[in-house]
């Protein structure tokens, strides 16, 4: 499996300075101010690569690409890469050769952005390593768990209880009739007939037109005595309609007789 893994490049920085650092005298950490920052011991290119779960910091020549030193990293942050206490542009890395020997050297970047990219590339790689480890662990635990057997055993049956499917005498359920307005209507009862009431014919009786004479307006100068006289004589007012009706329609008869060359027409007016 290790032979099938390929090497990928995580970060490349064209300018990096390498320093020989004095041994650490206390547990406070490394300080870049103790180094000779103006006189680096080597200058070249830095590449950060990964192969599987291991990352590598490679120091190479700018022109030929020859490998100067490399530092394998199994954990970050860790002893393989440490930051200094007084600057964010300098780091201490542990380089190793093929024989197993190791040494601690200091590296630094002129641009603060290059140092930030170098730090983020290592963080992203080991974050991915952590996620892969958790996923593989969960898959192994899932394989060791007993699997549920949801299949039917021999002779085992299941009973389904379907609601609202009752029928009469074993027949199929009758669908509801839907009306034009979207309302569901019940079907008519079997063997029954709906009696439709016949529409009555239009009445042949003639409609009597009632003509009410216009009200008589009383003048404003009528005295209260005249009003009292009108109230005292209801009997005389009851006798008046016959003559008043005759006089009222007599005007129309006179007007019709005055027109020449017209045949007399039968009056359909009803006298009261």
């Amino acid at each position: 499996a290790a032979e099938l893994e390929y090497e990928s490049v995580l970060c490349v920085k064209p300018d990096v300075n390498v320093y020989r650092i004095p041994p650490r005298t206390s547990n406070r950490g490394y300080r870049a101010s103790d180094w000779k920052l103006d006189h680096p011991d080597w200058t070249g290119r830095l590449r950060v690569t990964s192969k599987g779960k291991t990352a590598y910091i490679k120091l190479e020549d700018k022109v030929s690409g020859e490998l100067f030193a490399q530092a394998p990293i199994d954990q970050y942050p860790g002893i393989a890469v440490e930051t200094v206490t007084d600057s964010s542009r300098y780091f201490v890395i542990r380089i190793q050769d093929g024989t197993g020997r190791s040494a601690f050297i200091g590296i630094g970047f002129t641009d603060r952005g290059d140092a930030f990219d170098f730090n983020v590339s290592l963080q992203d790689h080991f974050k991915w390593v952590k996620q892969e480890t958790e996923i593989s662990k969960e898959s192994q635990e899932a394989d060791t768990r007993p699997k549920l057997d949801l299949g039917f055993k021999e002779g085992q049956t299941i009973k389904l209880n379907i609601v609202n499917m009752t029928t009469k005498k074993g027949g199929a359920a009758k669908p509801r009739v839907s009306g034009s307005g979207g309302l569901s209507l019940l079907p008519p009862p079997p063997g029954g007939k709906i009696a439709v009431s016949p529409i009555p014919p239009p009445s042949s009786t003639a409609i009597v037109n009632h003509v009410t004479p216009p009200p008589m307006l009383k003048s404003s100068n009528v005295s209260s005595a005249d009003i009292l006289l009108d109230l005292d004589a209801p009997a005389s007012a009851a006798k008046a309609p016959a003559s008043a009706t005759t006089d009222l329609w007599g005007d129309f008869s006179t007007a019709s007789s005055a027109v020449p060359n017209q045949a007399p027409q039968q009056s359909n007016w009803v006298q009261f």
Side-chain angles (χ1 to χ4, degrees):
E3 295 178 356
L4 297 177
E5 293 177 350
Y6 60 92
E7 186 178 21
S8 59
V9 179
L10 304 179
C11 180
V12 177
K13 294 301 174 183
D15 295 318
V16 64
N17 298 325
V18 178
Y19 303 93
R20 290 181 180 178
I21 60 175
R24 184 167 51 182
T25 57
S26 63
N27 293 329
R28 294 181 304 173
Y30 294 97
R31 291 176 59 89
S33 58
D34 298 337
W35 309 342
K36 298 178 182 180
L37 300 178
D38 296 336
H39 304 283
D41 296 299
W42 184 84
T43 302
R45 180 181 66 186
L46 179 141
R47 281 198 314 143
V48 180
T49 63
S50 66
K51 189 175 183 180
K53 296 182 179 181
T54 306
Y56 297 90
I57 299 175
K58 296 184 177 184
L59 303 175
E60 302 172 344
D61 186 81
K62 292 183 178 180
V63 180
S64 63
E66 183 182 359
L67 181 65
F68 173 73
Q70 75 173 0
I73 306 170
D74 298 330
Q75 184 180 358
Y76 183 77
I79 193 174
V81 180
E82 297 182 43
T83 58
V84 298
T85 58
D86 57 347
S87 177
S88 61
R89 295 186 292 115
Y90 297 92
F91 302 87
V92 175
I93 64 174
R94 183 184 63 183
I95 59 176
Q96 293 180 352
D97 58 2
T99 60
R101 294 182 302 175
S102 62
F104 290 92
I105 62 174
I107 61 173
F109 300 93
T110 306
D111 189 1
R112 196 176 301 275
D114 294 343
F116 177 79
D117 295 340
F118 168 74
N119 190 18
V120 169
S121 63
L122 292 175
Q123 289 180 355
D124 291 345
H125 171 72
F126 286 97
K127 187 183 296 183
W128 171 81
V129 171
K130 183 179 179 180
Q131 293 176 353
E132 288 292 323
T133 304
E134 292 177 355
I135 292 173
S136 61
K137 185 178 179 180
E138 290 178 357
S139 61
Q140 290 177 1
E141 291 178 355
D143 293 339
T144 56
R145 293 172 186 171
K147 297 182 180 180
L148 296 176
D149 187 8
L150 302 178
F152 286 100
K153 303 298 186 294
E154 184 177 357
Q156 186 178 3
T157 59
I158 187 172
K159 182 179 180 181
L160 298 178
N161 196 1
I162 303 176
V163 191
N164 296 332
M165 292 295 292
T166 58
T167 58
K168 184 177 180 181
K169 295 182 181 180
K174 296 182 180 180
R176 292 179 177 269
V177 180
S178 178
S180 59
L183 299 177
S184 59
L185 302 177
L186 294 175
K193 296 183 180 180
I194 300 175
V196 180
S197 59
I199 301 175
S203 178
S204 59
T205 59
I207 300 175
V208 179
N209 296 327
H210 298 274
V211 178
T212 304
M216 302 297 292
L217 298 177
K218 296 182 179 181
S219 60
S220 59
N221 56 358
V222 178
S223 61
S224 58
D226 296 336
I227 296 175
L228 293 175
L229 291 175
D230 294 338
L231 295 175
D232 292 339
S236 60
K239 298 179 181 179
S243 60
T245 306
T246 307
D247 297 338
L248 178 62
W249 302 114
D251 295 338
F252 286 98
S253 301
T254 307
S256 59
S257 61
V259 181
N261 299 329
Q262 285 188 353
Q265 298 179 357
Q266 184 178 0
S267 176
N268 292 329
W269 296 102
V270 179
Q271 297 183 359
F272 297 95

